[in-house]
Structures are given as structure tokens and as C-alpha cells.
Amino acid sequence: MPDVAIYCRVSTEDQAKTGYSLDDQIASCKAFLLNKGITNIIEYIDDGISGKFLDRPALTALRDDIAAGRIDSVVVYDPDRLARKLSIQLLVAEEMEKSKVALHFITGDYDASPEGRLFFSMRGAIAEFEKAKILDRTLRGKRRKAMQGKIMQDFKLYGYNYDAEKCSYIINEKQATLIRDIFRLVSDKQLSIEGVQKELKAKIIPSPTGKAVWPTSTIHNILRNETYTGTFMSMKYRQQRSGIKSRTIEKRPKEEWIPIKVPEIIDEVTFERAQKQLKRNAVSKHKPVSAPFLLRGILFCGVCGRRMLAHHCRFRDGSYKTYYQCSAHRYADLRNTGVKCPSKSLPSDAIDKDVWGKLVDAFKSPEKIKKYAPKKLAQPDYSEEIIRLNNLETELIKRRETIVKWFGQQMISEKESDEELAKIRSQLVDIQERKNILRPEEKATPEISFEEMAKAILPLIQQGDLTPDEMRNIIQSVLAKVTATRLDQQKGSVSHPKFKITWEMI
């Protein structure tokens, strides 16, 4: 026998302004049904969810159960609890009519006759109009308070504490001192944002969220925030819901901004000097680097076996140097090594030249191709390590599901969930790479021999004037994987760095 459903909804705004508490709605709906002798009641509750959208968890479940024939009738406290928009009210009511499900409202019953439909539409239009009026009054109230110099919301602005009684900011001297140091590093010492990041890490100063390494975006936002010069801009952004769990934020026209005086942390001269330095850094940062990186994508670390990544380093004199660096060294916090890989960076020009020279030599004398093939040793027992990686993979997948669940329950923000999921994704990729290294797949026999490839490619090389792209294509058409370790102990740039190189054919 089909059950009777009650649907209740409240948003934080409704509860605060109109007293539509969930307990009151549930009690009223149950009393209505119990007076009719009905006890087989199913509750569908949307707690803290706007009625502006159709896609609500409890409402969706109710609609699915109605379509499946499990519901006989539905009781709602008021039409605007069903939805704030008339179009959604009419859509849901029509679905119920088609499924022959009766719809009842505590504040006034629903009649499916033309007159009832008209009254229902009028009620819905009025509810939508009232919602618009509430939003308009709220906006005008915020604007009026801002014109009075009041900041009505704590934006958690680093460097300040929020005074709720006076609706204003007061300086947090400890944080303000650090902000002045950050501006000084850029304006006086002319450091880049990455340079500031290294300075803060060296001084063991945690980020505002407690991280050991400051995100570059946090440093950038501090350096670009004009509030620190003594003026907070209210009504700068317009925020509105675009879905149940999403919002859109857009900047208002400048003439709508309202300046509010706050205590000054940075003077305007220092702020402007920092902005000019940031522009200079941006120009330098995007200076083109001409390194061809012939081994990009196929070069692996000879110490830990992980992939080596191409990157460049800019020195204080403005010069650049390009390297390959072990991914575990660069992103140790996202990898599963436990410790940072001790391998040394490989100068890209030197290792590219070395591998290219050895490959050309092999093209001329094909018997030399096997000289750099890895020696076949007794395969170590990696079973325990593979079990560890499988267990870690399982834990990460469970954590990923938990993060998604927390986000769905609005326990964490979208930004926090994205950051955590990105870390988990990187770790899962690394685990798969490690398992591939420890348990490599059997390779099929190549269709043509190396001797045949050498006969086809050598004339192209002997013609000379090959572009870096052509050289890279030749290397990667022959070699599937190059493993390299730097042998010399010298630091910095040296004339002839030494490498141990092995390669695997395609």
C-alpha cells in the first residue's frame, strides 16, 4: 500500500527571518495527517537548502518515489516550502497530478480545478515576489550600513581581527608585521613571489592555514590587496547561487563600490613599489626558454625510478638554466617515497647532448645499441612493496570518497575539496607509476629491427641541420625510456657533467 509523504524545507535565511523551523513544519504536517487517522508517514527533509532550485536531495527522492508509485499523497506546510519559484511549484504539482498523487498544504489546500490552479499560481507568484523583496531589502540594508562605514561581515582578512560590536577591522599586530615583511621582500629586495615563499619557508613561518609552505596564490593575494593601504572596498563583488552547491561571483561596476576606512598596515608608496616589482617579475617569469628538452616524457630517475620533469631556474643575475629534476624531489609532499629523492638535477643541454651523441653513434654502429641496455639482473622480490602500494591506493580511494561525501554535505568548501582531491589524484598516479616500474608489462617484439631503423634514419642525420623537434622525434621513435643518474659530485654549472645512462627500446 502506498505511503503518505510530508515534505519540509528550510534555509538558514527562512529560519532566521520567517520562523519556518523544520520542527514546526514537521509537527504541523504530522498533526494534519494524524487527525485524519493516517500513520504510515514518510518524511522528506531538505535542511538548509534554497527553494530557488529544483535539484534538491529530498525533493528529488520524493519525485522518484512518486514516479515509482510508492506515494499516495503529499503534505507540505506552505507552497513556498515546495519551491520559491512559481515555475518549479507548477512543475512538481503537475508531476503529482499525472501520478494521481494528492497534494495538500497546511496553510490552504490545493485544488486541481482551474480556479484552484489560478489561486495556486497567484500564491506562487506572491512567494516569488516576496523573495525578491527580501533580497532587495537585504541588499539596500547592506549598502546603507556600508555608507555608514560598517563592515557587516568578517571576511577573515589576514592582518586584521574583526570587531563584531563596531562592525570594523582592528590590526592583528603579529600578522601585520609579517605582511610588512612580505611587502619589503618584494619592494626592497625585489624578490619574486617564489622567492618570498622560500624566505618564509626558511624562517619556518606557517601559512595562514597552518601549512609549512605558503601557497603562491596566498602571497599574491596579500601583495595585491589594497585594503592594507587603509581602504576596504565594500559592495565590490556580487555573489549569487547558481545551484544547490555552487555560487557565481562577479565584480560589480566600480561606481557601485563603497570605500570604508580601516587601519593602515602598508603605506601607498610601498604598495605601489610592490606592484611595479610584480609587473617586472611577470615579464621576466614569462621570458622564453629555448631549451629543446629532447628527453621530455621519457627520462626517468636512476635513483628512485620516477619520472624526471623538465624545469628551469632563474638566477639573481637574470640568467636561466634548464634542468631535468626527479618528480619526487620537486613534489615530495605529493609522492609516496617517504623521503625526498637524493638524486641530483641533470642539466638539460648536457644530458640531451650526451644521449643524442650515443644514439647517433649507435645508428652508425647498430651493435652498440645494446651497450646502454640495462643489465638483466635477478628480479628482486617486490611483493611486500606492491602490497604496501595496493593498501595505500585503497586508503586514498576511500579518502577520495570521504572528501566527496563531505563536500556533498557542505562540511568543507569547494576550494578545500578541490585541493585535497588534486593531492589524492597525484598520489594515485604516482602509485600506478611505481607499480609499473616494480612490475613492468611484457613488451611485444618490435615489427622492424633497430638495424632497419638505423638505415632509414641515419641519412637524415647525416644531412645535418636537424631542428630540435626533429631530433626529439627521432629519439622518441626509437627509445621508450631513458634512465639517467648524475655521477660527478660538483655543484652548480660545470663544463662536463658525467652521467650513467641506460635506455629501453620501443
Side-chain angles (χ1 to χ4, degrees), residues 32 76-79 103-111 119-120 123:
F32 175 84
V76 186
Y77 182 79
D78 190 82
L103 175 60
H104 303 280
F105 296 108
I106 301 300
T107 56
D109 222 342
Y110 170 68
D111 182 1
F119 177 72
F120 182 60
R123 286 288 303 273

Side-chain angles (χ1 to χ4, degrees), residues 35-136:
N35 287 337
K36 296 178 178 292
I38 300 173
T39 57
N40 55 322
I41 303 170
I42 300 179
E43 298 177 11
Y44 296 84
I45 312 296
D46 276 320
D47 187 1
I49 295 180
S50 171
K52 183 179 177 181
F53 303 99
L54 178 62
D55 185 20
R56 287 170 253 154
L59 182 60
T60 299
L62 173 61
R63 293 169 65 204
D64 290 342
D65 287 345
I66 288 172
R70 290 191 282 268
I71 302 298
D72 180 68
S73 59
V74 178
V75 178
V76 186
Y77 182 79
D78 190 82
D80 68 359
R81 298 301 86 206
L82 190 61
R84 279 288 192 180
K85 297 191 72 169
L86 174 60
S87 57
I88 296 177
Q89 290 181 3
L90 294 174
L91 172 65
V92 176
E94 186 177 357
E95 287 181 352
M96 293 182 186
E97 284 178 32
K98 288 181 178 178
S99 298
K100 298 186 174 6
V101 172
L103 175 60
H104 303 280
F105 296 108
I106 301 300
T107 56
D109 222 342
Y110 170 68
D111 182 1
S113 66
E115 293 81 4
R117 281 177 174 274
L118 176 61
F119 177 72
F120 182 60
S121 298
M122 291 172 62
R123 286 288 303 273
I126 291 170
E128 195 168 347
F129 173 66
E130 286 179 343
K131 176 70 172 179
K133 282 204 305 181
I134 290 171
L135 292 175
D136 180 62

Side-chain angles (χ1 to χ4, degrees), residues 169-435:
Y169 280 125
I170 56 177
I171 289 180
N172 180 317
E173 200 53 53
K174 183 179 179 181
Q175 296 177 358
T177 300
L178 183 55
I179 289 171
R180 295 186 190 104
D181 289 342
I182 290 174
F183 272 89
R184 200 174 296 115
L185 288 170
V186 175
S187 60
D188 295 348
K189 292 192 175 183
Q190 300 179 348
L191 294 187
S192 65
I193 288 179
E194 290 79 7
V196 174
Q197 183 187 50
K198 290 178 182 178
E199 287 282 333
L200 295 173
K201 183 181 179 183
K203 293 178 180 178
I204 317 178
I205 299 174
S207 73
T209 56
K211 295 180 179 178
V213 179
W214 282 61
T216 53
S217 59
T218 300
I219 300 171
H220 180 269
N221 290 339
I222 286 175
L223 290 166
R224 298 286 289 175
N225 196 333
E226 292 185 67
T227 303
Y228 296 127
T229 62
T231 304
F232 174 83
M233 288 296 178
S234 182
M235 310 301 290
K236 187 175 181 179
Y237 296 98
R238 179 185 291 110
Q239 185 180 127
Q240 63 184 49
R241 286 183 178 271
S242 56
I244 293 295
K245 300 172 185 174
S246 59
R247 293 176 180 271
T248 56
I249 300 175
E250 59 181 23
K251 189 176 285 189
R252 298 175 186 272
K254 208 163 187 176
E255 56 270 18
E256 294 184 22
W257 300 0
I258 300 175
I260 300 175
K261 285 294 179 184
V262 296
E264 177 186 293
I265 294 178
I266 297 295
D267 61 80
E268 292 188 7
V269 174
T270 302
F271 184 83
E272 287 304 321
R273 286 174 60 198
Q275 305 316 300
K276 290 178 181 178
Q277 185 60 40
L278 286 176
K279 288 182 180 179
R280 286 193 288 268
N281 292 345
V283 172
S284 300
K285 185 177 180 180
H286 294 98
K287 179 180 178 180
V289 180
S290 58
F293 291 116
L294 303 182
L295 306 177
R296 186 195 296 270
I298 64 169
L299 185 62
F300 288 79
C301 175
V303 176
C304 72
R306 285 179 167 79
R307 192 181 300 275
M308 301 199 79
L309 306 177
H311 77 116
H312 67 272
C313 179
R314 179 175 178 266
F315 298 98
R316 290 186 182 273
D317 62 359
S319 63
Y320 281 80
K321 188 73 177 177
T322 53
Y323 294 91
Y324 294 102
Q325 192 177 57
C326 178
S327 58
H329 181 79
R330 287 183 67 185
Y331 304 115
D333 58 326
L334 300 183
R335 304 293 166 179
N336 303 292
T337 55
V339 294
K340 188 166 70 172
C341 178
S343 61
K344 298 181 69 175
S345 297
L346 312 180
S348 69
D349 53 352
I351 188 70
D352 283 352
K353 182 179 179 181
D354 199 346
V355 171
W356 175 253
K358 286 179 169 59
L359 188 59
V360 171
D361 196 30
F363 282 137
K364 294 176 180 177
S365 304
E367 68 277 3
K368 293 183 179 180
I369 192 65
K370 295 180 181 179
K371 180 180 178 181
Y372 302 101
K375 295 179 180 179
K376 292 186 177 180
L377 303 173
Q379 186 69 18
D381 184 8
Y382 293 122
S383 57
E384 288 188 8
E385 174 65 4
I386 290 173
I387 290 172
R388 185 188 76 83
L389 291 172
N390 287 336
N391 291 338
L392 182 56
E393 186 176 41
T394 301
E395 290 175 11
L396 288 170
I397 291 171
K398 287 181 180 178
R399 176 160 179 77
R400 182 174 62 187
E401 293 171 352
T402 301
I403 295 296
V404 172
K405 181 181 177 181
W406 285 350
F407 175 68
Q409 295 174 347
Q410 298 182 337
M411 295 172 65
I412 59 174
S413 67
E414 183 176 357
K415 181 180 178 182
E416 289 172 325
S417 67
D418 286 346
E419 288 177 353
E420 288 299 318
L421 291 174
K423 289 181 181 179
I424 292 171
R425 190 182 307 115
S426 180
Q427 286 180 299
L428 289 173
V429 169
D430 184 68
I431 287 172
Q432 190 56 54
E433 282 194 0
R434 289 292 293 162
K435 288 200 291 188

Side-chain angles (χ1 to χ4, degrees), residues 10-23 47 81:
V10 71
S11 64
T12 306
E13 177 185 284
D14 293 322
Q15 197 157 2
K17 295 182 179 179
T18 63
Y20 280 127
S21 74
L22 282 177
D23 290 341
D47 187 1
R81 298 301 86 206

